[in-house]
Amino acid sequence: MTQLRIGSRESRLAVIQSEIVARYLESKGVEAPLVTMKTTGDKILDRSLDKIGGKGLFVKELDQALRDGRSDLSVHSSKDLPMVVEEDLPLLGFSQREDPRDVLVLPLGCTQWDRSKPVGCSSRRRMIQLQDLYPDVTFQGVRGNVLTRLNKLDAGQYGALILAAAGLKRLGLEDRISRYFTTEEMIPAAGQGILCVQGRKDGDYHVLNDFFDPEATACILAERAFVRRLDGGCSSPIAAFARMEGENLRLRGLYYSETTGRHRVGALSGPVSEPELLGIRLADQLKAAVEEEEPAR
C-alpha cells in the first residue's frame, strides 16, 4: 500500500499527534495525508462528558470515516478511548509513551497560585487527587481543547488548570507548566501520554509494526484492564498507571466507590507477560477494600 489516509480530530494537538504517525509512514515510503474532522465531543462544549455520552463522542465520527472508507486509520490519545472497542475497528498498536504526568498551569505571567479562584477542571479523577493534596481547593468545569482552556485561564476565569504534560509538550507549550505532579501524587488516566492507532479489521498495517512500542503496550493493557474491570468510563474517577520494573510490571491504581463515597489507592506487581491479569487483580483488590468500609458521612 502506497497511501494510508489518517483520520484525525481538527484540534491542533490532535493534528500534531497524527503528524507523528504520518512522518513515520512517510519514512517508510507510504503517503499519509490527514483527513481532519470535528467530532461530536468537540462540538458540544457547554456540558460535561458524562452528561452527553462519554468519551465515545470523540471517536464516533472517526470510526464512521474508517467504516466508510474515507480514512484508513485513526490516531487517538489513548486516554480518550472508550474501554470497549468495536470488533471491526481494532486497536492496532500503541506508541512510545510521552511524559504521563499531570501538571498545574497558572495564568500567563503569574508565579503564585491564587487558590481563592477555582481550578478549571472537569475530571473527577483529578479533582479527588488534587483535593487530597490541597483540601481547600475549589473547582469549576472547563471544556474545549488545550488552547481554548489556556485562553480561558489567561482571561482570568480560573486560578489554575490541571492538564496533561504530554499534550503541552507536544504543542510546544512546556514553558506554561508551573508544577509537575508525580505519578504518586496524582495517578494519571489510563493510557495518558500514549498514542493509539486504530484501523479496520481487514486492513494491512504491517508497515506500522516498528512504530508500536512493546513497553507502552504492556503498560496500557494493564491500565485499561484495571479501568474496564471497574466499569470506568469518562466520568468515573478511576486512575491507573503502570511502569516496567525489570521483568515485572508495577501497576498503581485509584478506585472511587459511588456507593461509599470513599477512594483507595493501591499497587501491585506481576509478570509483564500477563498485563491484563495484573489490572484485573488490582481492580478486584481495591474494590473489595473500599466497599468493605463504612459509607462517608
Side-chain angles (χ1 to χ4, degrees):
M1 185 175 292
T2 58
Q3 185 184 83
L4 286 171
R5 294 159 297 168
I6 300 176
S8 171
R9 292 164 62 188
E10 287 183 348
S11 78
R12 182 64 190 136
L13 178 57
V15 168
I16 286 171
Q17 293 178 162
S18 295
E19 286 173 343
I20 292 171
V21 179
R23 283 195 298 273
Y24 171 84
L25 288 170
E26 288 162 1
S27 75
K28 299 293 183 179
V30 177
E31 293 180 9
L34 300 193
V35 180
T36 61
M37 62 200 78
K38 192 180 289 289
T39 67
T40 303
D42 296 314
K43 296 173 186 174
I44 304 174
L45 300 176
D46 59 345
R47 283 164 282 169
S48 61
L49 286 178
D50 57 313
K51 300 292 193 302
I52 59 174
K55 291 185 177 180
L57 296 182
F58 287 120
V59 302
K60 181 180 176 183
E61 283 80 3
L62 294 172
D63 286 354
Q64 194 57 51
L66 278 172
R67 291 191 175 104
D68 293 346
R70 287 179 287 127
S71 65
D72 301 302
L73 56 87
S74 300
V75 177
H76 304 285
S77 294
S78 292
K79 71 183 182 69
D80 292 334
L81 279 173
M83 287 299 135
V84 178
V85 178
E86 300 292 338
E87 285 188 13
D88 63 324
L89 300 177
L91 306 184
L92 305 175
F94 303 95
S95 74
Q96 187 174 6
R97 188 169 225 157
E98 177 53 279
D99 192 330
R101 294 174 291 178
D102 285 305
V103 297
L104 184 77
V105 180
L106 299 181
L108 198 62
C110 292
T111 57
Q112 296 295 319
W113 177 10
D114 179 3
R115 292 210 283 276
S116 68
K117 288 186 175 182
V119 173
C121 182
S122 299
S123 162
R124 294 176 68 202
R125 169 189 68 82
R126 286 170 170 159
M127 291 180 198
I128 286 172
Q129 296 186 93
L130 190 65
Q131 215 148 33
D132 283 345
L133 296 171
Y134 303 98
D136 62 330
V137 75
T138 60
F139 300 96
Q140 185 176 318
V142 59
R143 290 285 315 282
N145 61 45
V146 172
L147 297 177
T148 297
R149 295 183 189 200
L150 288 173
N151 287 337
K152 291 179 179 180
L153 172 70
D154 294 339
Q157 293 187 36
Y158 309 100
L161 296 176
I162 307 294
L163 296 172
L168 289 167
K169 289 184 174 183
R170 287 176 178 141
L171 283 164
L173 296 172
E174 187 173 357
D175 61 335
R176 290 302 308 264
I177 297 172
S178 299
R179 182 216 202 277
Y180 288 89
F181 296 101
T182 69
T183 55
E184 285 72 34
E185 291 175 316
M186 189 173 292
I187 303 172
Q192 190 157 300
I194 299 174
L195 302 182
C196 174
V197 181
Q198 186 174 23
R200 287 187 293 271
K201 190 175 183 180
D202 59 354
D204 178 6
Y205 302 102
H206 70 276
V207 69
L208 282 162
N209 288 349
D210 290 339
F211 178 78
F212 300 136
D213 185 76
E215 181 174 329
T217 299
C219 290
I220 196 170
L221 289 177
E223 294 163 14
R224 285 176 64 83
F226 175 86
V227 177
R228 194 163 48 241
R229 183 70 163 185
L230 297 170
D231 294 321
C234 72
S235 63
S236 300
I238 294 172
F241 176 68
R243 60 163 40 108
M244 296 285 293
E245 291 185 348
E247 296 299 313
N248 286 332
L249 202 60
R250 182 166 180 79
L251 176 65
R252 200 158 182 271
L254 175 147
Y255 170 64
Y256 174 89
S257 170
E258 302 284 358
T259 304
T260 67
R262 294 185 183 277
H263 63 279
R264 178 72 67 92
V265 170
L268 199 63
S269 294
V272 70
S273 58
E274 298 180 327
E276 291 175 298
L277 179 59
L278 177 63
I280 291 169
R281 285 174 55 209
L282 180 60
D284 288 346
Q285 283 186 18
L286 291 183
K287 185 174 183 179
V290 169
E291 297 191 347
E292 284 173 2
E293 298 177 352
E294 292 293 326
R297 297 186 185 279

